[in-house]
Amino acid sequence: MRLLLILLVFAPVLFAIDMKDVDRDTLRHVRLALLNDDVRRHFGLRVGDFETLDQALGLKLDDSQRVLLLRLRTKAAAVLIHTENTDRAGVHLFLEVETRITAETLLDGQFVALRCRTAEDKLPEKTRLLRLRDDKLQLCLEWTSHEEYLLEGGRYIERTTRALEKGDTLQLVEQREHLLDGTRLEGGLATRTTPLEDQPGGLISGTATETPISISTHCALARALERQRLNEAALHHARLAQARAVAEKLAGDDTRKLEALSLAARLQARLRPGEGG
C-alpha cells in the first residue's frame, strides 16, 4: 500500500514524458526506478519536485528482465527491471552521454548497445555497450560507430562504420568505404577486424587484421578523381597512398611510393590559391 501511494504521488510529473514515445510498461518502470534515492540524485531530482526526463527507453533482455534507459540532458542511467511476478527495480549504472540516445539489444539480449551522436543529429556517432555481469550492469566497451569525412561540397564521402559481430569470438568489424555521389568507388572499401577478449572489467581489444586498399588502388582513384576535376578528393587518396607506403615500410625508390609522392605534389600545387584548378 505504501509503495502504491508513493507511485501515485510521483505519477503526475512522469506524464511530462512524451506519451507518443513511451509505452505503459516503460512508464511504470520509470516510476519504480525513480523511487531509488541514488537514481534521483544522479539526475538532480527531488521527491515531489521532478524535472522532466528527456527520454525513457525500455529493452527486453529475457522473459524476466528488462533494461530501462533514462536521460536528462547529458546524464543517463541504465536500471535493471525484474519483471517476474511483481515488477521491481534492481541494479543501476550511471552514464554521461552527449545527446539524444537510441538503443537496441544484441546477441539475444547479451548486450545493450546505447548510441548517440556527439552533436544533435550530427556525426560522429558513439556506441556504448552494456551488459549484465556478476549481477551488476557494466559498461564493457565503447567506440565510434559511425563517422564521415566529406569533400567536394559533400559529393565525396569517406564513410567509416564499426559494428559488433560474433563469429568464433566477439569482434569489432570496421568498414571504411569511399563514395562519390552516393556510389562506392571501385576498389574503395577497406575492412579491419578486431577480436575482443572477455575480461571481468570489460571487453579488451586484441590484434586486428585488416584488408586495406592498396597503394596502387589509391593512386588509380586519385587519377580518376583528378580527371573529373575533383582535386580535393584526388589529393585525399594520394595522401592515403603515401600513408599506406609508410605503413608497409616501402623503400624510397619503390615505384608505388614514388607515384604516390608525385601525385600528392602535383595535386597540392594545383590546389594552392592562385594556381590552376
Side-chain angles (χ1 to χ4, degrees):
M1 176 62 75
R2 180 174 178 271
L3 177 61
L4 178 60
L5 289 173
I6 293 174
L7 292 179
L8 289 173
V9 169
F10 289 173
V13 295
L14 293 172
F15 283 107
I17 299 172
D18 192 340
M19 293 294 291
K20 297 190 297 295
D21 298 328
V22 183
D23 60 44
R24 184 181 303 174
D25 287 340
T26 300
L27 275 175
R28 185 172 69 253
H29 297 154
V30 170
R31 297 184 186 114
L32 290 171
L34 290 177
L35 292 176
N36 184 286
D37 291 341
D38 291 336
V39 174
R40 289 201 309 280
R41 276 195 294 267
H42 175 66
F43 290 114
L45 304 177
R46 296 178 299 173
V47 175
D49 184 26
F50 290 96
E51 297 179 40
T52 302
L53 287 169
D54 294 317
Q55 283 185 272
L57 307 173
L59 297 171
K60 181 179 178 181
L61 296 183
D62 54 37
D63 290 339
S64 62
Q65 295 180 118
R66 291 170 63 93
V67 164
L68 175 70
L69 298 168
L70 305 175
R71 182 180 71 86
L72 179 60
R73 294 185 288 276
T74 61
K75 292 182 179 293
V79 182
L80 185 68
I81 303 293
H82 300 277
T83 58
E84 195 171 30
N85 299 323
T86 302
D87 289 356
R88 61 184 177 85
V91 294
H92 54 263
L93 174 69
F94 298 141
L95 305 159
E96 289 291 325
V97 295
E98 292 79 17
T99 58
R100 184 174 181 83
I101 60 175
T102 61
E104 65 173 325
T105 56
L106 301 177
L107 304 179
D108 298 322
Q110 293 181 50
F111 300 98
V112 171
L114 185 156
R115 299 188 177 93
C116 75
R117 303 289 176 99
T118 54
E120 195 68 43
D121 297 325
K122 294 181 180 179
L123 295 174
E125 175 188 83
K126 190 170 185 177
T127 293
R128 294 170 174 87
L129 195 68
L130 313 181
R131 67 175 173 182
L132 185 64
R133 184 182 177 95
D134 298 329
D135 297 322
K136 295 180 180 179
L137 284 170
Q138 179 189 71
L139 172 60
C140 57
L141 188 68
E142 49 188 306
W143 70 92
T144 301
S145 47
H146 189 180
E147 55 187 330
E148 292 182 348
Y149 178 58
L150 280 63
L151 293 169
E152 308 294 355
R155 289 186 62 195
Y156 174 92
I157 302 174
E158 180 185 276
R159 176 179 297 155
T160 304
T161 56
R162 301 175 185 90
L164 188 73
E165 295 185 6
K166 187 168 184 180
D168 296 333
T169 60
L170 279 176
Q171 52 195 21
L172 195 63
V173 178
E174 173 185 300
Q175 285 196 329
R176 180 165 296 177
E177 53 184 343
H178 302 265
L179 305 100
L180 181 61
D181 296 330
T183 301
R184 185 195 298 167
L185 296 169
E186 186 174 356
L189 174 67
T191 62
R192 180 181 177 90
T193 301
T194 304
L196 300 171
E197 183 180 347
D198 195 345
Q199 296 287 340
L203 299 175
I204 307 300
S205 298
T207 302
T209 58
E210 59 180 330
T211 305
I213 298 172
S214 69
I215 299 168
S216 298
T217 299
H218 275 308
C219 288
L221 289 171
R223 290 193 301 272
L225 291 163
E226 182 185 19
R227 287 194 294 271
Q228 298 180 63
R229 302 178 67 83
L230 299 172
N231 294 315
E232 285 184 325
L235 178 58
H236 179 58
H237 278 281
R239 286 173 172 165
L240 290 174
Q242 286 182 285
R244 193 70 230 158
V246 171
E248 295 183 14
K249 300 179 180 178
L250 297 187
D253 60 353
D254 188 289
T255 56
R256 294 168 295 169
K257 185 173 184 178
L258 292 173
E259 182 183 15
L261 289 168
S262 175
L263 275 168
R266 184 172 73 243
L267 289 161
Q268 282 176 310
R270 184 168 294 163
L271 285 166
R272 289 191 190 114
E275 301 197 19

